[in-house]
Amino acid sequence: MKKFVSAACTGLVCLSMAACGSGASGSGAAGSDGGSGDSKKRITLAKENDVISMNTAYATDGFSFEMIAATVDGLEAMDKDGNVVPALAESYDISDDELTYTFHLRDANWSNGDPVTAGDFVFAWNETAKSPEAEYAYLFTQDGACIKNADEIVYDQKDTDLGIKAVDDKTLAVQLSKKCPYFLSLLTFPVFYPINQEFFEEQGDQYALTPDGLLACGPYVLTEWTKGQSLKLDKNQDYWDADNVAIDGMDVNIVPEVSTSALDFENGNTDWTKLNSTLVDKYKDNEAYDTFLEGYLWYLQFNMNNEYLKNDNLRKAIGTVVDRDNLVNNVLKDGSINIGGFVPQDFTTGPDGKDYRETADKFYTEVGEDGLKAAQEYWDKAKKELGVDKITLKMLYEPSDPSKPAAEFIQSEIQKLDGITIEMVSQEKENRIEKQKQGDFDIVLTRWGPDYADPTTYLNLMITGNAYNYGKYSSEEYDAKMKEAAEAETPEERWTLLQEAEKILMEDSPVVGIFQVGGASLKNPKVTGIEDHSFGVPYIYKNVKIEE
């Protein structure tokens, strides 16, 4: 038995502060709480879209994950560098065969005074795994955490329980069906957070719909939520690590137009807002301008049931003709990059300590005239094999940044191939996803954000039968290679096999990576500790502080 004991992560000490900017009013930027005279230490954020769900079982979008993580702790958390650090579990043991993890919970309470117990995790995990509507239930299976019985429950609807047990109120044992090198990293993700069963059952179908329908055991408590407009979070005074939470709360304004939130920032009413490609040039020399490389990958997915897209040369022609360098440098201009594969850069490292992309093959590297020439050769082969000279394909995308400008650029690139017409199908995100689920697309510009720091969070998507394999790609060779990687004897062997699997995928091209997102934003220089992450929860706010 291997034992791991960790001290609670060190937080940031609160400093006194002054309000930022002369224009702070209303909910205000860093400083006073809306002129109430309380001298509250608060920050104000602007977000384009509202929270979709505060229920850990059903949340699927980044901002929902952010707000859940701000109010609920998991067994483990991430530090600013993406390392796993203790949260509700102050220590854990691993069995010699690495198939049983035993977590020892610290003393912590829910915001109604109930203690957080091992049973809260048992209930939450089983509740999610057994719900057909819980999209992230797959993370319990061998496509994720490899928890015992998860595949039978999630995929076969078998009436049994997960391999998770409350030994006592403070001891949680989790059994795996096979070794999972990234298991602890997964536990930082909201679907693995606890739920207070008694409160959940009391709330019924009102659970998580309003602040009154929620409990907190994290740094903040959601106290107000006006759907489509704003959220207010106050410091959780009963949080186990409250001494290391430096601010009194956060105000979040839902501002669909980034130009409006940027103006709010200029006027001192907002401490953080994302920028879109049209505003980067305006603010890139501003002291408040910030950018980092996100883990989100935007890619084209092809419907393998389409009579034309079944042809691999056609898929390669489309993947090759897109000048990704031109797209990221001259259209998006927000720090996005051309990654040359299906696993992002600066996301995860191998046993050798090197970034995955540094040692993996590169794909679709042709740009400009070289890309057009290579694409034309693929298209010429495809025309002969298909017996056509002209085809029309529909491309599904969402009308938001960066999807809209990227999709329009991709359309113009593909139509450089004589005889291919791309009809654009614009759908808001939720409708776009629903159309993907129904297979109602030819080509879709879609994205994936990594749930944990391992290449399988991307590569598993394309295994036959995966719930997110909307294009219905199926390859015995690819599936076998992924299975071989999962059963590898050493980390080094596993890493090599995963890169070989990616090569098979890229040569088949049921999906082609287009760009990895750069996160351009404006941030109040007085505000520090907003932690951005390339996997899991996009932004974490526990360690925010405001300097004088």
Side-chain angles (χ1 to χ4, degrees):
M1 180 75 75
K2 305 169 187 175
K3 189 170 185 65
F4 299 82
V5 181
S6 305
C9 47
T10 303
L12 295 168
V13 180
C14 176
L15 300 177
S16 60
M17 40 152 264
C20 168
S22 57
S25 62
S27 60
S32 64
D33 185 15
S36 64
D38 295 335
S39 296
K40 295 289 188 180
K41 305 176 185 69
R42 305 183 66 85
I43 64 167
T44 300
L45 311 173
K47 296 286 182 174
E48 291 179 85
N49 300 300
D50 199 356
V51 165
I52 292 177
S53 177
M54 287 293 290
N55 187 332
T56 55
Y58 302 118
T60 58
D61 65 297
F63 184 46
S64 295
F65 297 149
E66 290 175 31
M67 294 296 97
I68 290 171
T71 58
V72 182
D73 267 5
L75 292 167
E76 306 291 331
M78 279 189 292
D79 68 11
K80 62 183 178 61
D81 298 316
N83 301 309
V84 176
V85 294
L88 290 175
E90 58 186 355
S91 67
Y92 59 90
D93 310 320
I94 305 177
S95 61
D96 291 338
D97 62 6
E98 299 181 38
L99 295 180
T100 302
Y101 286 70
T102 304
F103 297 92
H104 306 283
L105 306 189
R106 68 176 75 253
D107 291 332
N109 290 324
W110 292 100
S111 49
N112 68 348
D114 289 352
V116 178
T117 69
D120 294 333
F121 288 93
V122 175
F123 172 74
W125 294 15
N126 276 304
E127 177 72 19
T128 303
K130 295 178 181 181
S131 173
E133 289 78 36
E135 290 189 30
Y136 274 85
Y138 84 94
L139 282 180
F140 294 106
T141 74
Q142 292 192 37
D143 291 334
C146 305
I147 296 172
K148 186 177 179 181
N149 296 335
D151 289 74
E152 291 82 356
I153 296 169
V154 176
Y155 297 139
D156 302 328
Q157 288 77 53
K158 187 176 179 181
D159 186 16
T160 187
D161 289 329
L162 292 172
I164 177 174
K165 177 183 178 181
V167 179
D168 56 45
D169 281 352
K170 295 295 183 184
T171 311
L172 179 71
V174 182
Q175 276 190 289
L176 307 186
S177 57
K178 63 181 181 182
K179 293 180 184 180
C180 183
Y182 47 85
F183 177 67
L184 291 173
S185 174
L186 264 174
L187 298 183
T188 70
F189 197 67
V191 77
F192 293 94
Y193 290 2
I195 296 175
N196 182 306
Q197 180 175 358
E198 183 178 354
F199 181 83
F200 176 90
E201 292 173 346
E202 285 176 356
Q203 295 298 311
D205 59 9
Q206 296 303 300
Y207 178 74
L209 296 183
T210 66
D212 290 339
L214 284 164
L215 290 182
C217 66
Y220 306 97
V221 178
L222 181 64
T223 54
E224 296 179 18
W225 183 8
T226 304
K227 299 291 176 64
Q229 295 183 33
S230 63
L231 301 93
K232 180 180 180 182
L233 295 89
D234 293 334
K235 179 177 176 178
N236 182 1
Q237 301 296 340
D238 298 319
Y239 179 49
W240 66 267
D241 200 26
D243 288 346
N244 287 317
V245 178
I247 61 173
D248 294 299
M250 302 187 295
D251 299 292
V252 184
N253 295 320
I254 310 305
V255 188
E257 295 296 329
V258 178
S259 57
T260 302
S261 59
L263 183 60
D264 286 341
F265 184 91
E266 285 189 28
N267 291 333
N269 296 328
T270 297
D271 294 305
W272 186 95
T273 178
K274 192 167 185 178
L275 293 176
N276 60 25
S277 56
T278 61
L279 293 173
V280 168
D281 286 341
K282 179 179 179 180
Y283 291 105
K284 64 184 179 182
D285 296 324
N286 192 302
E287 176 192 9
Y289 179 80
D290 187 33
T291 185
F292 78 101
L293 193 59
E294 298 181 6
Y296 283 107
L297 169 68
W298 282 91
Y299 59 97
L300 294 179
Q301 184 169 52
F302 302 115
N303 190 333
M304 301 297 282
N305 291 324
N306 179 280
E307 60 178 318
Y308 303 124
L309 292 168
K310 289 178 180 179
N311 183 277
D312 61 344
N313 280 313
L314 173 57
R315 299 194 302 273
K316 289 176 182 177
I318 293 171
T320 305
V321 77
V322 179
D323 188 339
R324 294 155 174 80
D325 284 356
N326 191 5
L327 171 63
V328 298
N329 295 329
N330 300 315
V331 178
L332 302 179
K333 300 179 290 186
D334 58 0
S336 295
I337 64 168
N338 169 11
I339 66 163
F342 198 60
V343 176
Q345 179 179 308
D346 297 342
F347 156 62
T348 185
T349 55
D352 57 1
K354 295 181 179 179
D355 184 76
Y356 177 93
R357 285 260 64 93
E358 185 179 344
T359 56
D361 288 343
K362 302 293 189 298
F363 308 92
Y364 293 106
T365 56
E366 301 94 336
V367 296
E369 290 301 319
D370 289 340
L372 180 58
K373 181 180 178 182
Q376 187 63 53
E377 291 175 359
Y378 283 126
W379 172 225
D380 289 341
K381 292 177 184 177
K383 285 190 289 186
K384 290 180 181 179
E385 292 164 353
L386 292 168
V388 298
D389 289 319
K390 296 180 180 180
I391 61 172
T392 297
L393 298 169
K394 294 180 179 180
M395 183 163 70
L396 177 64
Y397 72 102
E398 60 190 69
S400 59
D401 197 87
S403 175
K404 186 174 186 292
E408 291 170 347
F409 176 85
I410 292 167
Q411 178 195 32
S412 67
E413 291 288 279
I414 297 174
Q415 291 186 157
K416 289 178 180 178
L417 297 171
D418 186 39
I420 300 183
T421 299
I422 300 295
E423 294 182 356
M424 304 293 274
V425 181
S426 175
Q427 294 286 319
E428 296 295 339
K429 181 179 178 180
E430 289 188 47
N431 292 335
R432 185 261 295 169
I433 293 172
E434 189 58 35
K435 281 185 170 290
Q436 285 181 257
K437 289 179 181 178
Q438 295 171 359
D440 185 12
F441 68 95
D442 296 335
I443 306 170
V444 58
L445 178 62
T446 185
R447 78 170 190 175
W448 186 258
D451 305 323
Y452 53 95
D454 190 82
T456 56
T457 192
Y458 288 95
L459 299 178
N460 281 348
L461 297 176
M462 302 313 297
I463 292 174
T464 301
N466 184 282
Y468 294 92
N469 185 355
Y470 298 128
K472 304 303 180 186
Y473 170 68
S474 182
S475 163
E476 290 184 4
E477 183 184 12
Y478 182 73
D479 293 349
K481 188 66 70 172
M482 289 298 292
K483 185 175 187 293
E484 192 179 351
E487 298 171 352
E489 292 292 329
T490 67
E492 290 80 8
E493 180 186 0
R494 174 179 181 270
W495 207 251
T496 298
L497 290 166
L498 289 175
Q499 292 181 334
E500 290 175 359
E502 185 192 31
K503 185 175 182 179
I504 294 170
L505 186 66
M506 292 295 92
E507 288 176 347
D508 284 351
S509 298
V511 289
V512 292
I514 299 297
F515 65 97
Q516 183 177 345
V517 176
S521 64
L522 292 175
K523 184 181 70 172
N524 182 348
K526 293 179 181 292
V527 175
T528 61
I530 296 178
E531 298 173 2
D532 50 64
H533 294 278
S534 61
F535 66 92
V537 180
Y539 292 93
I540 293 176
Y541 303 100
K542 174 182 175 178
N543 295 321
V544 171
K545 71 175 182 179
I546 309 167
E547 299 174 346
E548 291 186 15

